[in-house]
Amino acid sequence: MRRVVVIGATGHVGTYLVPRLVRAGHEVVAVSRGGRAPYQDAPEWRAVRKVTADREAEDAAGTFGERIAGLRPDAVIDMICFTPESARQLVDALRPSRPLLLHCGTIWVHGRAARVPVTEDEPRTAYGDYGTGKAAIEELLHRETLAGGVPSIVLHPGHISGPGWPVITPAGNLDPDVWRRLATGEPLALPALGQGVLNHVHADDVAQAFERALSRPAAAGSSFHVVAEQAMTCRGLAMGAAGWFGREAVLDLVDWPEFERRVGAEHAGTTREHIERGIAASIDRARAVLGYQPRYSSLDALREAVRWLAQHDQLDLGGAVL
C-alpha cells in the first residue's frame, strides 16, 4: 500500500481516479476546496481521507507545498497546477522526501500541428496562457527529475469528457444548441470545411493512465499523451452524433465571419481555440510504457456525456431521445 495524495480529487478525472486507487489498495488522501462532491458517487470514497484546501490562497501565502508535504505522501497526483510558480512551490516542499509526482498537463503544450499524429517529442510550440503555462511546468518538472530531485511524470490529456459536465461539441465549443441541431436534423454551421481536428478522451481513461503511471516509476522524466485512440474531425463527430438519433448530419460549411455571426463571438472564439491547433496526438508511448488502453472512442465519450446531460434536464434535444 502507498499513501497517494490527489490534489483536485473531486474534479473530472479525480472522480474516477480516487475510486480506482482505493480499489488498487492505496491509502488515498483527497485534497480539494471542499465545495462540491465528485461527479459520480462510489462507495470507495468512504475509505478516503478528505482534506480541504484552497490552493490559490495557500499558494499566495506560500503554505500549500508544505501542507502537501506534511501529509507524508509516497506519491502526489496534481490535477490542478496551472503555473510554474505553483509547481515550483510544490516541488521545493517535496524535495526532501522525494515522492513520485504525477502532473496533469494538456495536449495544448503543442501549438499548431506541423506533423500528425503529434508525438511527445515534438518541439513545444504552445501559445495562450493555458498552454504556455503547462509547457513551462512540464519543463520545470523534467529538469527537476534529471537533476535528481523530485521524480515526476507528466500526462497530457485531450478534451476531457464524461457524464456530469458540458463537453466540447462537434463544433469545437460548448454551445448546447449543437446537440439539439444534430438530434433534430436542423442545419449545423461548421467553419474550416468541417475539417478541424478534435482529440477527446473520457475522464475514466485519463484516470486509468494516472493509475498505471503510478506503478511505473521508471517512466519518471517522461511525458505521455492521454487521448482516445483516434482524433476526429468536426465533420466526422457531427455525422457520428447525428447517427445516435437515426439522422444524417445537415452541415452548413461556412467561413469564419459567417460562423461567428451565427453562433456569437464567444462560441466562435472557443471553436477557433480548439480547432486551429489541429492536434491528433499519438498514444504509442503511453501504450508501450504505461500499458494505457483507452476504453472509449471520442464518440463513445461524447455520447455518455450527452445522455447524462439530457437525463438530468441540462440539455434540450428538441424532444429526441438518446
Side-chain angles (χ1 to χ4, degrees):
M1 176 187 291
R2 307 172 75 183
R3 178 177 296 172
V4 183
V5 173
V6 182
I7 305 170
T10 59
H12 297 161
V13 177
T15 288
Y16 294 92
L17 175 60
V18 168
R20 278 178 168 270
L21 297 177
V22 172
R23 290 194 296 269
H26 298 294
E27 175 189 354
V28 180
V29 181
V31 180
S32 71
R33 288 177 297 182
R36 60 171 310 282
Y39 287 91
Q40 302 289 319
D41 193 20
E44 290 84 359
W45 284 93
R46 292 194 287 271
V48 173
R49 176 184 171 189
K50 300 177 181 65
V51 173
T52 300
D54 184 332
R55 183 177 195 159
E56 185 175 353
E58 293 189 25
D59 268 350
T63 60
F64 184 75
E66 292 300 334
R67 164 88 85 109
I68 299 303
L71 297 172
R72 303 176 63 161
D74 298 304
V76 175
I77 300 177
D78 192 351
M79 304 302 304
I80 55 168
C81 183
F82 303 107
T83 68
E85 294 76 21
S86 181
R88 187 173 296 108
Q89 182 184 140
L90 180 61
V91 165
D92 287 345
L94 295 178
R95 194 173 291 121
S97 56
R98 298 181 68 252
L100 179 64
L101 174 60
L102 276 61
H103 171 80
C104 184
T106 172
I107 58 171
W108 280 16
V109 296
H110 304 291
R112 296 177 181 88
R115 290 171 290 274
V116 291
V118 179
T119 72
E120 294 87 346
D121 294 327
E122 286 291 309
R124 299 297 180 253
T125 55
Y127 58 93
D129 291 343
Y130 180 58
T132 56
K134 286 292 191 178
I137 293 168
E138 177 185 42
E139 182 180 1
L140 182 156
L141 294 179
H142 289 339
R143 283 202 313 265
E144 174 75 15
T145 301
L146 289 172
V150 178
S152 64
I153 302 172
V154 179
L155 274 66
H156 292 309
H159 314 315
I160 300 173
S161 308
W165 63 92
V167 291
I168 298 300
T169 72
N173 58 35
L174 292 170
D175 182 2
D177 197 51
V178 169
W179 302 115
R180 186 190 63 81
R181 289 177 175 275
L182 291 170
T184 60
E186 291 188 28
L188 175 67
L190 292 179
L193 300 178
Q195 292 302 108
V197 174
L198 299 170
N199 218 164
H200 291 80
V201 62
H202 194 287
D204 188 50
D205 280 334
V206 182
Q208 175 208 146
F210 272 96
E211 180 187 4
R212 291 176 182 273
L214 191 63
S215 64
R216 289 163 173 80
S222 296
S223 297
F224 300 91
H225 293 152
V226 184
V227 292
E229 185 172 12
Q230 289 182 296
M232 292 187 68
T233 63
C234 293
R235 178 197 291 263
L237 287 168
M239 293 170 62
W244 303 337
F245 306 97
R247 297 186 178 276
E248 291 189 9
V250 180
L251 303 180
D252 278 352
L253 305 180
V254 299
D255 61 19
W256 279 104
E258 174 63 13
F259 182 71
E260 181 172 335
R261 187 190 69 79
R262 293 197 193 185
V263 306
E266 181 178 354
H267 288 315
T270 301
T271 296
R272 188 181 290 276
E273 282 286 303
H274 279 87
I275 72 171
E276 68 181 358
R277 289 167 169 83
I279 299 170
S282 168
I283 58 172
D284 287 350
R285 179 182 291 175
R287 277 176 162 158
V289 179
L290 304 182
Y292 173 61
Q293 292 292 338
R295 295 173 54 226
Y296 295 84
S297 69
S298 294
L299 280 169
D300 290 338
L302 289 178
R303 183 169 188 166
E304 190 171 289
V306 171
R307 180 186 290 116
W308 188 96
L309 291 168
Q311 289 174 346
H312 289 79
D313 299 320
Q314 295 185 30
L315 187 63
D316 175 17
L317 295 178
V321 178
L322 180 59

